[in-house]
Amino acid sequence: MAGRFEIYHDDGEKFRFRLTGDDGATLVTSEPYDDKDTAVAGINGIRDCAASALIADLTLGQRT
């Protein structure tokens, strides 16, 4: 899966990014950023840690 990061303006004119999958579905949407450079830094942070990030299941013992 290659995916794609897209940087855009939200309704409040803040910068956000989203990660989309190969099928175009939105997988992740970021928090708002005041400037594009900070949004790009957020993308790079995700790129750096996502492949080795651990999964923490906070639902253990909870019923759905």
Short mmCIF file of all heavy atoms in Angstrom, two decimals:
data_model
loop_
_atom_site.label_atom_id
_atom_site.label_comp_id
_atom_site.label_asym_id
_atom_site.label_seq_id
_atom_site.Cartn_x
_atom_site.Cartn_y
_atom_site.Cartn_z
N MET A 1 0.83 -1.18 0.00
CA MET A 1 0.00 0.00 0.00
C MET A 1 0.88 1.24 0.00
O MET A 1 1.68 1.45 0.89
CB MET A 1 -0.89 -0.01 1.24
CG MET A 1 -1.77 1.20 1.35
SD MET A 1 -2.78 1.07 2.80
CE MET A 1 -2.62 2.73 3.37
N ALA A 2 0.72 2.06 -0.98
CA ALA A 2 1.51 3.28 -1.06
C ALA A 2 0.86 4.41 -0.28
O ALA A 2 1.50 5.09 0.51
CB ALA A 2 1.69 3.70 -2.51
N GLY A 3 -0.41 4.65 -0.47
CA GLY A 3 -1.09 5.75 0.20
C GLY A 3 -0.58 7.10 -0.28
O GLY A 3 0.33 7.19 -1.11
N ARG A 4 -1.21 8.14 0.27
CA ARG A 4 -0.82 9.49 -0.12
C ARG A 4 -1.18 10.46 1.00
O ARG A 4 -2.27 10.38 1.57
CB ARG A 4 -1.56 9.87 -1.40
CG ARG A 4 -1.26 11.24 -1.91
CD ARG A 4 -1.81 11.41 -3.29
NE ARG A 4 -3.09 12.10 -3.23
CZ ARG A 4 -3.67 12.63 -4.29
NH1 ARG A 4 -3.13 12.51 -5.48
NH2 ARG A 4 -4.82 13.26 -4.17
N PHE A 5 -0.27 11.36 1.31
CA PHE A 5 -0.55 12.45 2.24
C PHE A 5 -1.04 13.64 1.42
O PHE A 5 -0.44 14.00 0.42
CB PHE A 5 0.71 12.86 3.02
CG PHE A 5 1.09 11.89 4.09
CD1 PHE A 5 2.09 10.95 3.88
CD2 PHE A 5 0.46 11.92 5.33
CE1 PHE A 5 2.45 10.08 4.88
CE2 PHE A 5 0.81 11.04 6.33
CZ PHE A 5 1.81 10.12 6.11
N GLU A 6 -2.13 14.24 1.87
CA GLU A 6 -2.69 15.42 1.22
C GLU A 6 -2.75 16.55 2.25
O GLU A 6 -3.31 16.38 3.33
CB GLU A 6 -4.10 15.15 0.71
CG GLU A 6 -4.18 14.00 -0.27
CD GLU A 6 -5.60 13.61 -0.63
OE1 GLU A 6 -6.54 13.92 0.14
OE2 GLU A 6 -5.76 12.98 -1.70
N ILE A 7 -2.18 17.70 1.92
CA ILE A 7 -2.24 18.88 2.77
C ILE A 7 -3.35 19.77 2.22
O ILE A 7 -3.44 19.99 1.01
CB ILE A 7 -0.90 19.64 2.79
CG1 ILE A 7 0.19 18.75 3.35
CG2 ILE A 7 -1.02 20.93 3.60
CD1 ILE A 7 1.58 19.36 3.30
N TYR A 8 -4.19 20.27 3.12
CA TYR A 8 -5.32 21.10 2.69
C TYR A 8 -5.67 22.12 3.77
O TYR A 8 -5.20 22.02 4.90
CB TYR A 8 -6.53 20.22 2.34
CG TYR A 8 -7.08 19.45 3.51
CD1 TYR A 8 -8.18 19.94 4.22
CD2 TYR A 8 -6.52 18.25 3.92
CE1 TYR A 8 -8.70 19.24 5.31
CE2 TYR A 8 -7.03 17.55 4.99
CZ TYR A 8 -8.12 18.05 5.68
OH TYR A 8 -8.62 17.36 6.76
N HIS A 9 -6.52 23.08 3.42
CA HIS A 9 -7.06 24.04 4.38
C HIS A 9 -8.40 23.52 4.88
O HIS A 9 -9.24 23.10 4.08
CB HIS A 9 -7.29 25.41 3.74
CG HIS A 9 -6.07 26.23 3.61
ND1 HIS A 9 -5.52 26.56 2.39
CD2 HIS A 9 -5.28 26.81 4.54
CE1 HIS A 9 -4.45 27.30 2.59
NE2 HIS A 9 -4.27 27.47 3.88
N ASP A 10 -8.62 23.59 6.19
CA ASP A 10 -9.93 23.24 6.73
C ASP A 10 -10.85 24.46 6.67
O ASP A 10 -10.47 25.51 6.15
CB ASP A 10 -9.81 22.64 8.14
CG ASP A 10 -9.29 23.63 9.18
OD1 ASP A 10 -9.23 24.85 8.89
OD2 ASP A 10 -8.93 23.18 10.28
N ASP A 11 -12.04 24.34 7.21
CA ASP A 11 -13.01 25.45 7.15
C ASP A 11 -12.54 26.69 7.91
O ASP A 11 -12.96 27.79 7.60
CB ASP A 11 -14.36 24.99 7.71
CG ASP A 11 -15.03 23.96 6.82
OD1 ASP A 11 -14.69 23.89 5.63
OD2 ASP A 11 -15.88 23.21 7.33
N GLY A 12 -11.67 26.50 8.89
CA GLY A 12 -11.13 27.62 9.65
C GLY A 12 -9.84 28.17 9.07
O GLY A 12 -9.14 28.94 9.72
N GLU A 13 -9.50 27.74 7.85
CA GLU A 13 -8.29 28.17 7.15
C GLU A 13 -7.00 27.74 7.84
O GLU A 13 -5.95 28.35 7.66
CB GLU A 13 -8.30 29.69 6.91
CG GLU A 13 -9.37 30.13 5.92
CD GLU A 13 -9.26 29.45 4.55
OE1 GLU A 13 -8.18 29.47 3.94
OE2 GLU A 13 -10.27 28.88 4.10
N LYS A 14 -7.08 26.69 8.63
CA LYS A 14 -5.88 26.07 9.21
C LYS A 14 -5.40 24.99 8.26
O LYS A 14 -6.16 24.47 7.44
CB LYS A 14 -6.19 25.44 10.57
CG LYS A 14 -6.65 26.41 11.63
CD LYS A 14 -5.50 27.19 12.18
CE LYS A 14 -5.94 28.01 13.37
NZ LYS A 14 -4.85 28.64 14.04
N PHE A 15 -4.13 24.64 8.36
CA PHE A 15 -3.58 23.56 7.56
C PHE A 15 -3.85 22.24 8.26
O PHE A 15 -3.71 22.13 9.48
CB PHE A 15 -2.07 23.73 7.36
CG PHE A 15 -1.71 24.88 6.47
CD1 PHE A 15 -1.47 26.13 6.99
CD2 PHE A 15 -1.63 24.70 5.10
CE1 PHE A 15 -1.13 27.20 6.18
CE2 PHE A 15 -1.29 25.75 4.26
CZ PHE A 15 -1.05 27.00 4.81
N ARG A 16 -4.23 21.25 7.50
CA ARG A 16 -4.38 19.88 7.98
C ARG A 16 -3.80 18.95 6.93
O ARG A 16 -3.61 19.34 5.78
CB ARG A 16 -5.85 19.51 8.20
CG ARG A 16 -6.50 20.19 9.37
CD ARG A 16 -7.93 19.68 9.53
NE ARG A 16 -8.63 20.33 10.60
CZ ARG A 16 -8.81 19.82 11.80
NH1 ARG A 16 -8.36 18.62 12.08
NH2 ARG A 16 -9.46 20.49 12.73
N PHE A 17 -3.57 17.72 7.32
CA PHE A 17 -3.23 16.70 6.34
C PHE A 17 -4.06 15.47 6.60
O PHE A 17 -4.57 15.25 7.69
CB PHE A 17 -1.73 16.39 6.31
CG PHE A 17 -1.19 15.76 7.57
CD1 PHE A 17 -1.29 14.40 7.79
CD2 PHE A 17 -0.55 16.54 8.53
CE1 PHE A 17 -0.78 13.82 8.94
CE2 PHE A 17 -0.04 15.98 9.68
CZ PHE A 17 -0.15 14.61 9.89
N ARG A 18 -4.22 14.70 5.56
CA ARG A 18 -4.88 13.40 5.68
C ARG A 18 -4.06 12.37 4.94
O ARG A 18 -3.38 12.70 3.96
CB ARG A 18 -6.31 13.45 5.18
CG ARG A 18 -6.44 13.78 3.73
CD ARG A 18 -7.92 13.86 3.31
NE ARG A 18 -8.03 14.72 2.14
CZ ARG A 18 -8.75 15.82 2.07
NH1 ARG A 18 -9.47 16.22 3.10
NH2 ARG A 18 -8.77 16.55 0.98
N LEU A 19 -4.10 11.16 5.41
CA LEU A 19 -3.47 10.03 4.74
C LEU A 19 -4.58 9.23 4.10
O LEU A 19 -5.54 8.84 4.77
CB LEU A 19 -2.69 9.17 5.74
CG LEU A 19 -2.10 7.86 5.21
CD1 LEU A 19 -1.10 8.12 4.09
CD2 LEU A 19 -1.47 7.07 6.34
N THR A 20 -4.46 9.04 2.80
CA THR A 20 -5.46 8.26 2.08
C THR A 20 -4.85 6.96 1.61
O THR A 20 -3.65 6.87 1.33
CB THR A 20 -6.02 9.04 0.87
OG1 THR A 20 -4.96 9.34 -0.02
CG2 THR A 20 -6.70 10.32 1.30
N GLY A 21 -5.68 5.94 1.51
CA GLY A 21 -5.25 4.64 1.02
C GLY A 21 -5.28 4.59 -0.50
O GLY A 21 -5.69 5.55 -1.17
N ASP A 22 -4.88 3.46 -1.03
CA ASP A 22 -4.86 3.28 -2.48
C ASP A 22 -6.25 3.47 -3.10
O ASP A 22 -6.36 3.90 -4.24
CB ASP A 22 -4.36 1.88 -2.84
CG ASP A 22 -2.88 1.71 -2.57
OD1 ASP A 22 -2.16 2.72 -2.51
OD2 ASP A 22 -2.44 0.56 -2.42
N ASP A 23 -7.28 3.17 -2.33
CA ASP A 23 -8.65 3.30 -2.84
C ASP A 23 -9.23 4.69 -2.64
O ASP A 23 -10.39 4.95 -2.95
CB ASP A 23 -9.56 2.26 -2.18
CG ASP A 23 -9.65 2.43 -0.67
OD1 ASP A 23 -8.95 3.30 -0.11
OD2 ASP A 23 -10.42 1.66 -0.05
N GLY A 24 -8.44 5.61 -2.08
CA GLY A 24 -8.89 6.98 -1.86
C GLY A 24 -9.56 7.22 -0.53
O GLY A 24 -9.90 8.35 -0.19
N ALA A 25 -9.76 6.15 0.25
CA ALA A 25 -10.40 6.30 1.56
C ALA A 25 -9.46 7.02 2.52
O ALA A 25 -8.25 6.78 2.52
CB ALA A 25 -10.76 4.92 2.12
N THR A 26 -10.01 7.91 3.34
CA THR A 26 -9.23 8.63 4.34
C THR A 26 -8.94 7.70 5.50
O THR A 26 -9.85 7.14 6.11
CB THR A 26 -9.98 9.87 4.83
OG1 THR A 26 -10.19 10.75 3.72
CG2 THR A 26 -9.19 10.60 5.90
N LEU A 27 -7.66 7.52 5.81
CA LEU A 27 -7.23 6.64 6.90
C LEU A 27 -6.94 7.43 8.17
O LEU A 27 -7.21 6.96 9.27
CB LEU A 27 -5.99 5.86 6.48
CG LEU A 27 -6.11 5.02 5.22
CD1 LEU A 27 -4.77 4.43 4.84
CD2 LEU A 27 -7.16 3.95 5.39
N VAL A 28 -6.37 8.61 8.02
CA VAL A 28 -5.98 9.46 9.15
C VAL A 28 -6.20 10.91 8.75
O VAL A 28 -5.91 11.30 7.62
CB VAL A 28 -4.49 9.26 9.51
CG1 VAL A 28 -4.03 10.24 10.57
CG2 VAL A 28 -4.21 7.84 9.94
N THR A 29 -6.72 11.71 9.70
CA THR A 29 -6.83 13.15 9.53
C THR A 29 -6.09 13.81 10.69
O THR A 29 -6.26 13.42 11.84
CB THR A 29 -8.30 13.61 9.52
OG1 THR A 29 -8.98 12.93 8.46
CG2 THR A 29 -8.41 15.10 9.30
N SER A 30 -5.30 14.81 10.38
CA SER A 30 -4.47 15.45 11.41
C SER A 30 -5.25 16.48 12.21
O SER A 30 -6.36 16.87 11.86
CB SER A 30 -3.28 16.14 10.75
OG SER A 30 -3.69 17.34 10.12
N GLU A 31 -4.58 16.96 13.23
CA GLU A 31 -5.05 18.13 13.97
C GLU A 31 -4.80 19.36 13.11
O GLU A 31 -4.07 19.29 12.12
CB GLU A 31 -4.28 18.24 15.30
CG GLU A 31 -2.79 18.46 15.10
CD GLU A 31 -2.02 18.45 16.42
OE1 GLU A 31 -2.63 18.28 17.48
OE2 GLU A 31 -0.81 18.60 16.37
N PRO A 32 -5.36 20.51 13.47
CA PRO A 32 -5.08 21.73 12.68
C PRO A 32 -3.70 22.31 13.02
O PRO A 32 -3.27 22.26 14.17
CB PRO A 32 -6.19 22.68 13.12
CG PRO A 32 -6.62 22.21 14.46
CD PRO A 32 -6.38 20.73 14.48
N TYR A 33 -3.05 22.85 12.01
CA TYR A 33 -1.75 23.50 12.16
C TYR A 33 -1.85 24.93 11.65
O TYR A 33 -2.59 25.22 10.71
CB TYR A 33 -0.67 22.76 11.35
CG TYR A 33 -0.40 21.36 11.83
CD1 TYR A 33 -1.03 20.27 11.26
CD2 TYR A 33 0.51 21.13 12.87
CE1 TYR A 33 -0.76 18.98 11.71
CE2 TYR A 33 0.78 19.85 13.32
CZ TYR A 33 0.13 18.78 12.73
OH TYR A 33 0.39 17.51 13.18
N ASP A 34 -1.08 25.83 12.26
CA ASP A 34 -1.11 27.23 11.86
C ASP A 34 -0.38 27.51 10.56
O ASP A 34 -0.69 28.48 9.87
CB ASP A 34 -0.50 28.12 12.96
CG ASP A 34 -1.39 28.19 14.18
OD1 ASP A 34 -2.63 28.11 14.04
OD2 ASP A 34 -0.84 28.33 15.30
N ASP A 35 0.60 26.67 10.22
CA ASP A 35 1.36 26.90 8.99
C ASP A 35 1.69 25.57 8.31
O ASP A 35 1.65 24.52 8.93
CB ASP A 35 2.62 27.72 9.26
CG ASP A 35 3.53 27.06 10.27
OD1 ASP A 35 4.20 26.07 9.91
OD2 ASP A 35 3.57 27.53 11.42
N LYS A 36 2.01 25.67 7.03
CA LYS A 36 2.27 24.48 6.22
C LYS A 36 3.53 23.75 6.68
O LYS A 36 3.57 22.52 6.68
CB LYS A 36 2.41 24.87 4.76
CG LYS A 36 2.46 23.66 3.83
CD LYS A 36 2.71 24.02 2.38
CE LYS A 36 1.53 24.66 1.76
NZ LYS A 36 1.69 24.88 0.30
N ASP A 37 4.57 24.49 7.09
CA ASP A 37 5.81 23.84 7.52
C ASP A 37 5.57 22.91 8.71
O ASP A 37 6.15 21.82 8.79
CB ASP A 37 6.87 24.88 7.89
CG ASP A 37 7.43 25.60 6.68
OD1 ASP A 37 7.28 25.09 5.55
OD2 ASP A 37 8.02 26.67 6.87
N THR A 38 4.71 23.32 9.64
CA THR A 38 4.42 22.49 10.80
C THR A 38 3.60 21.27 10.39
O THR A 38 3.80 20.17 10.93
CB THR A 38 3.67 23.31 11.88
OG1 THR A 38 4.42 24.50 12.14
CG2 THR A 38 3.53 22.53 13.17
N ALA A 39 2.69 21.44 9.45
CA ALA A 39 1.93 20.29 8.94
C ALA A 39 2.86 19.28 8.27
O ALA A 39 2.74 18.08 8.49
CB ALA A 39 0.85 20.76 7.96
N VAL A 40 3.81 19.77 7.49
CA VAL A 40 4.79 18.87 6.85
C VAL A 40 5.63 18.16 7.90
O VAL A 40 5.92 16.97 7.78
CB VAL A 40 5.68 19.65 5.85
CG1 VAL A 40 6.83 18.80 5.35
CG2 VAL A 40 4.84 20.14 4.68
N ALA A 41 5.99 18.86 8.97
CA ALA A 41 6.75 18.23 10.05
C ALA A 41 5.91 17.13 10.70
O ALA A 41 6.44 16.08 11.09
CB ALA A 41 7.16 19.27 11.09
N GLY A 42 4.59 17.34 10.82
CA GLY A 42 3.71 16.30 11.34
C GLY A 42 3.69 15.07 10.46
O GLY A 42 3.72 13.93 10.94
N ILE A 43 3.66 15.28 9.15
CA ILE A 43 3.71 14.16 8.20
C ILE A 43 5.02 13.40 8.38
O ILE A 43 5.04 12.16 8.45
CB ILE A 43 3.57 14.65 6.75
CG1 ILE A 43 2.15 15.17 6.52
CG2 ILE A 43 3.93 13.56 5.75
CD1 ILE A 43 1.98 15.90 5.20
N ASN A 44 6.12 14.12 8.45
CA ASN A 44 7.43 13.46 8.60
C ASN A 44 7.52 12.70 9.91
O ASN A 44 8.13 11.63 9.97
CB ASN A 44 8.55 14.48 8.46
CG ASN A 44 8.71 14.95 7.04
OD1 ASN A 44 8.45 14.21 6.10
ND2 ASN A 44 9.12 16.19 6.87
N GLY A 45 6.90 13.22 10.98
CA GLY A 45 6.88 12.51 12.25
C GLY A 45 6.15 11.19 12.15
O GLY A 45 6.60 10.17 12.69
N ILE A 46 5.04 11.18 11.44
CA ILE A 46 4.30 9.93 11.24
C ILE A 46 5.12 8.96 10.40
O ILE A 46 5.20 7.78 10.71
CB ILE A 46 2.93 10.21 10.60
CG1 ILE A 46 2.04 10.89 11.62
CG2 ILE A 46 2.29 8.93 10.07
CD1 ILE A 46 0.71 11.32 11.09
N ARG A 47 5.72 9.45 9.36
CA ARG A 47 6.56 8.59 8.51
C ARG A 47 7.69 7.95 9.32
O ARG A 47 8.03 6.79 9.11
CB ARG A 47 7.17 9.39 7.37
CG ARG A 47 6.23 9.71 6.27
CD ARG A 47 6.95 10.54 5.23
NE ARG A 47 6.22 10.59 3.99
CZ ARG A 47 6.50 11.41 3.01
NH1 ARG A 47 7.51 12.26 3.12
NH2 ARG A 47 5.80 11.41 1.90
N ASP A 48 8.28 8.72 10.22
CA ASP A 48 9.42 8.22 11.00
C ASP A 48 9.05 7.12 11.97
O ASP A 48 9.82 6.20 12.20
CB ASP A 48 10.10 9.36 11.77
CG ASP A 48 10.85 10.32 10.87
OD1 ASP A 48 11.10 9.97 9.70
OD2 ASP A 48 11.18 11.43 11.35
N CYS A 49 7.87 7.21 12.58
CA CYS A 49 7.58 6.27 13.66
C CYS A 49 6.51 5.24 13.34
O CYS A 49 6.39 4.24 14.06
CB CYS A 49 7.21 7.02 14.94
SG CYS A 49 5.60 7.80 14.91
N ALA A 50 5.74 5.41 12.29
CA ALA A 50 4.60 4.52 12.05
C ALA A 50 5.00 3.06 11.83
O ALA A 50 4.34 2.16 12.36
CB ALA A 50 3.78 5.02 10.86
N ALA A 51 6.05 2.82 11.09
CA ALA A 51 6.41 1.44 10.77
C ALA A 51 6.82 0.64 12.00
O ALA A 51 6.63 -0.57 12.05
CB ALA A 51 7.54 1.42 9.74
N SER A 52 7.37 1.30 13.00
CA SER A 52 7.84 0.58 14.18
C SER A 52 6.97 0.85 15.42
O SER A 52 7.29 0.40 16.51
CB SER A 52 9.28 0.98 14.49
OG SER A 52 9.37 2.36 14.75
N ALA A 53 5.86 1.55 15.24
CA ALA A 53 5.00 1.88 16.38
C ALA A 53 4.33 0.61 16.92
O ALA A 53 3.95 -0.28 16.16
CB ALA A 53 3.94 2.89 15.96
N LEU A 54 4.20 0.55 18.22
CA LEU A 54 3.52 -0.56 18.88
C LEU A 54 2.02 -0.30 18.91
O LEU A 54 1.57 0.83 18.80
CB LEU A 54 4.06 -0.72 20.30
CG LEU A 54 5.57 -0.96 20.43
CD1 LEU A 54 5.96 -1.00 21.91
CD2 LEU A 54 5.95 -2.26 19.74
N ILE A 55 1.26 -1.36 19.08
CA ILE A 55 -0.19 -1.24 19.22
C ILE A 55 -0.52 -1.44 20.69
O ILE A 55 -0.15 -2.46 21.28
CB ILE A 55 -0.92 -2.29 18.37
CG1 ILE A 55 -0.62 -2.05 16.89
CG2 ILE A 55 -2.42 -2.24 18.65
CD1 ILE A 55 -1.14 -3.14 15.98
N ALA A 56 -1.19 -0.48 21.30
CA ALA A 56 -1.62 -0.58 22.70
C ALA A 56 -3.14 -0.78 22.69
O ALA A 56 -3.88 0.11 22.28
CB ALA A 56 -1.25 0.67 23.47
N ASP A 57 -3.60 -1.94 23.12
CA ASP A 57 -5.02 -2.23 23.17
C ASP A 57 -5.57 -1.74 24.50
O ASP A 57 -5.36 -2.36 25.54
CB ASP A 57 -5.26 -3.73 23.00
CG ASP A 57 -6.73 -4.09 22.91
OD1 ASP A 57 -7.58 -3.19 23.14
OD2 ASP A 57 -7.02 -5.25 22.63
N LEU A 58 -6.27 -0.63 24.47
CA LEU A 58 -6.83 -0.03 25.68
C LEU A 58 -8.23 -0.55 25.98
O LEU A 58 -8.89 -0.08 26.90
CB LEU A 58 -6.84 1.49 25.57
CG LEU A 58 -5.48 2.14 25.27
CD1 LEU A 58 -5.61 3.64 25.15
CD2 LEU A 58 -4.44 1.75 26.32
N THR A 59 -8.69 -1.53 25.18
CA THR A 59 -10.02 -2.08 25.36
C THR A 59 -10.02 -3.40 26.11
O THR A 59 -11.07 -4.01 26.26
CB THR A 59 -10.71 -2.30 24.01
OG1 THR A 59 -10.00 -3.31 23.27
CG2 THR A 59 -10.75 -1.00 23.20
N LEU A 60 -8.88 -3.86 26.56
CA LEU A 60 -8.79 -5.15 27.23
C LEU A 60 -9.80 -5.24 28.38
O LEU A 60 -9.87 -4.34 29.22
CB LEU A 60 -7.37 -5.41 27.73
CG LEU A 60 -6.31 -5.54 26.65
CD1 LEU A 60 -4.93 -5.66 27.27
CD2 LEU A 60 -6.60 -6.75 25.77
N GLY A 61 -10.55 -6.31 28.39
CA GLY A 61 -11.51 -6.52 29.45
C GLY A 61 -12.82 -5.78 29.26
O GLY A 61 -13.74 -5.93 30.05
N GLN A 62 -12.94 -5.00 28.20
CA GLN A 62 -14.18 -4.28 27.93
C GLN A 62 -14.99 -5.03 26.90
O GLN A 62 -14.44 -5.59 25.95
CB GLN A 62 -13.89 -2.87 27.42
CG GLN A 62 -13.20 -1.99 28.42
CD GLN A 62 -12.92 -0.60 27.84
OE1 GLN A 62 -13.30 -0.28 26.73
NE2 GLN A 62 -12.24 0.23 28.61
N ARG A 63 -16.27 -5.05 27.09
CA ARG A 63 -17.16 -5.71 26.12
C ARG A 63 -17.72 -4.67 25.18
O ARG A 63 -17.97 -3.54 25.56
CB ARG A 63 -18.30 -6.42 26.83
CG ARG A 63 -17.83 -7.59 27.62
CD ARG A 63 -18.99 -8.34 28.10
NE ARG A 63 -18.52 -9.68 28.44
CZ ARG A 63 -19.29 -10.63 28.83
NH1 ARG A 63 -20.60 -10.43 28.94
NH2 ARG A 63 -18.81 -11.82 29.11
N THR A 64 -17.95 -5.11 23.94
CA THR A 64 -18.56 -4.20 22.96
C THR A 64 -19.95 -4.65 22.63
O THR A 64 -20.36 -5.74 22.88
CB THR A 64 -17.74 -4.15 21.66
OG1 THR A 64 -17.60 -5.46 21.13
CG2 THR A 64 -16.40 -3.53 21.90
#
